[in-house]
Amino acid sequence: MGVLDPGTVSEYGRNRGWYEHDYQWSQGELVILRKADHSIHWMQLNVWCTTGTVGSYITHPRQGKTQLFRRSIDSYAKLVELLDNPRVHTGGGYHRTQDAPAHESTAPRQRNVACPGCGKRYFTMGDSAQHFESGHCSSCPGMDNARKTMYSFARQKESAAGADGMFTSGQRLLAFDGDGQLDWTAGYVNGGKNYHCPSCSKAFVTMNSMLQHVQSKEECRQRSGHLALM
């Protein structure tokens, strides 16, 4: 059972002027709510009921289209606060600006995404994954070994978020090795399509290629706020 109930989320939204645009059970019981703001711009709330993560997609008067992801929305009181004011900052998320107008100054890009192996920082998750899966990371040399390790890392993140199979293909059930330890690489196929886009289900060989796809496709990017869990 998830943190929030999809039916209750939809009901709370309707009572506050939102309508249910879509529901995707396979994407972490994702409820997509929409509502027009005072400027007739669409606001969107993506509520991943399985994990209690909420993504807000709104138009800022100066910064243009913005996104804010919040974790630990584990009560309906917190959800109602967001429904009443999707611009509110709860302290549990991060803010990201998209498509800022050309005449506005923007802050320098920051290398905030650490490699899961060596800790070197990159601009995006895709850049970090590309570095690691190339086999050139000092913590996990060799491309085949690195790709298999990345698959293991992704499966552990999925499991911790209660979202097994959201990004990875193949093995869904937990498997154990000869020593009785969890084998997170079970299901990995060398050279196979081990990942899929959590929005459109397109399959990919590497985590990097899947992330690059999500980052380049507007629709997939808007529906994939749960990548913040990675």
Side-chain angles (χ1 to χ4, degrees), residues 155-199:
R155 286 203 62 209
Q156 290 179 66
K157 286 290 186 179
E158 288 177 331
S159 180
D164 292 302
M166 184 174 286
F167 313 104
T168 59
S169 304
Q171 182 73 25
R172 298 295 177 87
L173 300 177
L174 295 178
F176 297 85
D177 60 22
D179 296 324
Q181 302 296 315
L182 281 172
D183 181 9
W184 295 107
T185 65
Y188 175 82
V189 178
N190 188 21
K193 293 187 175 181
N194 296 295
Y195 303 92
H196 57 263
C197 172
S199 296

Side-chain angles (χ1 to χ4, degrees), residues 19-177:
Y19 79 94
E20 184 178 314
H21 173 70
D22 198 6
Y23 172 65
Q24 300 175 22
W25 175 84
S26 63
Q27 306 302 326
E29 294 191 293
L30 169 62
V31 177
I32 300 176
L33 302 173
R34 285 187 176 180
K35 178 182 181 181
D37 64 13
H38 64 280
S39 300
I40 318 299
H41 290 117
W42 282 111
M43 301 183 293
Q44 180 169 309
L45 287 180
N46 285 9
V47 184
W48 285 273
C49 297
T50 299
T51 60
T53 299
V54 177
S56 302
Y57 305 86
I58 58 180
T59 300
H60 190 277
R62 293 187 302 276
Q63 299 174 351
K65 295 180 180 179
T66 61
Q67 296 182 22
L68 180 66
F69 295 107
R70 303 168 178 87
R71 298 180 180 136
S72 300
I73 305 301
D74 52 7
S75 71
Y76 293 107
K78 293 179 182 179
L79 177 65
V80 166
E81 186 178 9
L82 295 180
L83 290 168
D84 288 341
N85 181 12
R87 301 175 189 275
V88 72
H89 184 76
T90 65
Y94 65 86
H95 178 266
R96 181 172 70 197
T97 302
Q98 293 183 344
D99 305 324
H103 65 274
E104 293 186 12
S105 61
T106 58
R109 293 181 68 194
Q110 300 293 318
R111 297 176 184 266
N112 293 324
V113 183
C115 168
C118 66
K120 183 178 179 180
R121 293 187 173 273
Y122 291 87
F123 290 120
T124 68
M125 287 189 290
D127 294 338
S128 175
Q130 183 178 38
H131 155 75
F132 188 86
E133 290 179 312
S134 70
H136 298 306
C137 178
S138 59
S139 71
C140 191
M143 186 173 66
D144 291 342
N145 182 43
R147 289 184 175 183
K148 192 172 185 178
T149 301
M150 176 61 81
Y151 181 83
S152 171
F153 170 75
R155 286 203 62 209
Q156 290 179 66
K157 286 290 186 179
E158 288 177 331
S159 180
D164 292 302
M166 184 174 286
F167 313 104
T168 59
S169 304
Q171 182 73 25
R172 298 295 177 87
L173 300 177
L174 295 178
F176 297 85
D177 60 22

